[in-house]
Amino acid sequence: MTTATTTATRAATATTATVRNALRAERIKLTTLRSLWITPLTALLLTVGFTTAVAAAVGTADETLTADPGLGIHYGLNFGQAALVCFAVLLLGQEFSTRMIGASLTAVPRRGRLYGAKLALGAAFALAVGLLGTAGSFAGYTAFVPDAGDHPAVVRSVTAGVLYPVLLVVLCLGLTAALRNLTAAMGLLLPGVFLLSPLLSGVPGVRRAAQFLPDRAGQYALRYTDDPQVAYGHWTGLLIMAVWAGAAAYGGLLRLRRQAI
């Protein structure tokens, strides 16, 4: 019994150390490659910068922003999410494009562990962007529109603003793993978020279906007010985005495990 317990303890310790090493290796890669660490920083600057600039320029003059302060507070996120998409795609996609994924798998042979380390690290950086970006945007917007901070929905909107970048990065990482191609992932995700989704939301025939797209559902959670044309609540919108992100992450794992590198 003692021998079995000792063996199990050593195996658990070795697994923990291996996971820690995988996370450390991914952290080193991310912080030493400029194309990786500069994108979340750009996302943060765009998010806070655009929100503050628009609030300073428009103030309370534009009713489209003040009628629903959630739109004004998170206005910069519309631009910052572009850098977040690039960050997620580059985090995994450039290893496929440069064929360095083989070297990574040599260092971490278990594909699920390597993929999990990338997901964890990407989500952690996205959480930092969400926290700092939401805090900065809220401070910048309420400096010019003070009433925006006095609303029952402010806690939910701010919480959604913190979680939205995390879910977006997980979603993009999963799709990149499924596509296994940097160019294809970038070409699909950026136009999908900035062109396809908004366009479909404006077409009467498909508007009801388009509201269930991940970015549309997640962004609805940012708003203060209800939209009678939306078929779900604000928290449900965030849950819908989380389901999309979880499905994409799982699909990426299956593709990564089953396909030869």
Side-chain angles (χ1 to χ4, degrees):
M1 179 67 74
T2 303
T3 303
T5 303
T6 302
T7 302
T9 303
R10 288 177 178 175
T13 303
T15 300
T16 303
T18 305
V19 172
R20 189 185 303 117
N21 291 338
L23 287 169
R24 180 172 178 271
E26 293 303 319
R27 178 184 58 80
I28 292 173
K29 282 191 285 186
L30 191 154
T31 54
T32 53
L33 291 173
R34 184 180 299 177
S35 60
L36 287 179
W37 63 259
I38 201 171
T39 44
L41 178 60
T42 302
L44 178 61
L45 294 176
L46 289 173
T47 300
V48 178
F50 269 97
T51 295
T52 306
V54 169
V58 177
T60 58
D62 190 344
E63 293 184 359
T64 60
L65 296 180
T66 56
D68 189 339
L71 295 176
I73 292 171
H74 301 290
Y75 183 84
L77 186 59
N78 294 307
F79 303 91
Q81 67 179 351
L84 285 172
V85 170
C86 293
F87 166 66
V89 173
L90 288 172
L91 186 60
L92 181 58
Q94 71 176 2
E95 293 207 28
F96 286 111
S97 66
T98 60
R99 308 304 300 172
M100 287 300 295
I101 189 69
S104 297
L105 287 173
T106 300
V108 185
R110 296 190 63 174
R111 299 186 181 194
R113 185 171 293 163
L114 175 66
Y115 182 58
K118 288 187 178 293
L119 282 175
L121 195 66
F125 270 74
L127 180 62
V129 172
L131 285 167
L132 297 175
T134 301
S137 295
F138 184 82
Y141 188 78
T142 54
F144 299 96
V145 188
D147 293 341
D150 299 325
H151 195 281
V154 65
V155 174
R156 185 252 304 147
S157 179
V158 167
T159 303
V162 173
L163 296 178
Y164 181 89
V166 178
L167 297 176
L168 180 64
V169 166
V170 171
L171 173 72
C172 294
L173 274 169
L175 290 176
T176 303
L179 293 170
R180 296 161 53 87
N181 186 290
L182 185 148
T183 305
M186 200 76 77
L188 173 67
L189 289 167
L190 280 176
V193 170
F194 287 95
L195 294 176
L196 181 62
S197 182
L199 285 175
L200 291 177
S201 298
V203 178
V206 296
R207 182 182 300 164
R208 194 164 185 83
Q211 65 183 284
F212 291 94
L213 291 173
D215 58 312
R216 295 291 97 188
Q219 289 176 16
Y220 184 62
L222 305 175
R223 299 175 59 174
Y224 279 21
T225 59
D226 296 328
D227 185 346
Q229 296 184 351
V230 177
Y232 46 79
H234 296 282
W235 284 117
T236 305
L238 198 65
L239 178 61
I240 291 171
M241 188 179 185
V243 171
W244 275 97
Y250 183 66
L253 176 62
L254 293 180
R255 180 75 191 278
L256 194 62
R257 280 178 171 174
R258 292 176 180 176
Q259 296 295 322
I261 299 301

